[in-house]
Amino acid sequence: MPSPPSPAAERGALALPLNTSEPSADESALEEIEAEARKLLADELNEDEGDFKLNSSEKVGWSDASLGCPQEGYFYAQVITPGYKLVFNLEDMPYTVHTNTDGSLMVVCRDGQ
């Protein structure tokens, strides 16, 4: 009998690494996504965009359309959603932004997501 899904899996918080041998978005597209994520953080936290330093970016497959950051009361398509996990630092504090592949959907993840 299979074990029940973990609470993280139920929240849609899992991200699967994607095959990096496949061609990824071109470098300029990823730079645009990073710039938009930086702008989103700056707007939400009322800080200057230039203060956020990119710490890491990872191409992932989110376990559903919540991009790994589901909100209570919302329902999400249960489909692997390719995208990026971007981690920025501001004054030694990490801030994480999850996106879809083209950056048209972005969410600032909080509480260790």
Side-chain angles (χ1 to χ4, degrees):
M1 179 174 183
S3 61
S6 69
E10 290 176 358
R11 289 193 332 261
L14 298 179
L16 308 170
L18 294 181
N19 183 347
T20 55
S21 64
E22 296 176 12
S24 60
D26 66 71
E27 197 65 33
S28 65
L30 183 54
E31 288 175 7
E32 287 179 29
I33 290 170
E34 291 170 7
E36 285 299 314
R38 192 175 275 113
K39 182 178 181 344
L40 176 65
L41 281 170
D43 289 347
E44 284 199 17
L45 299 171
N46 198 26
E47 298 284 346
D48 291 328
E49 290 177 39
D51 292 342
F52 292 93
K53 306 300 179 210
L54 183 66
N55 184 42
S56 66
S57 64
E58 178 183 8
K59 190 171 184 179
V60 297
W62 303 112
S63 62
D64 63 26
S66 73
L67 304 178
C69 296
Q71 295 180 20
E72 190 173 327
Y74 287 84
F75 296 95
Y76 300 94
Q78 299 300 302
V79 59
I80 300 294
T81 306
Y84 295 96
K85 178 181 180 181
L86 307 171
V87 180
F88 294 88
N89 284 332
L90 173 68
E91 298 175 0
D92 294 326
M93 290 290 300
Y95 294 92
T96 305
V97 177
H98 294 185
T99 77
N100 62 351
T101 301
D102 67 4
S104 61
L105 297 174
M106 292 189 179
V107 61
V108 176
C109 294
R110 290 183 166 72
D111 300 325
Q113 293 179 316

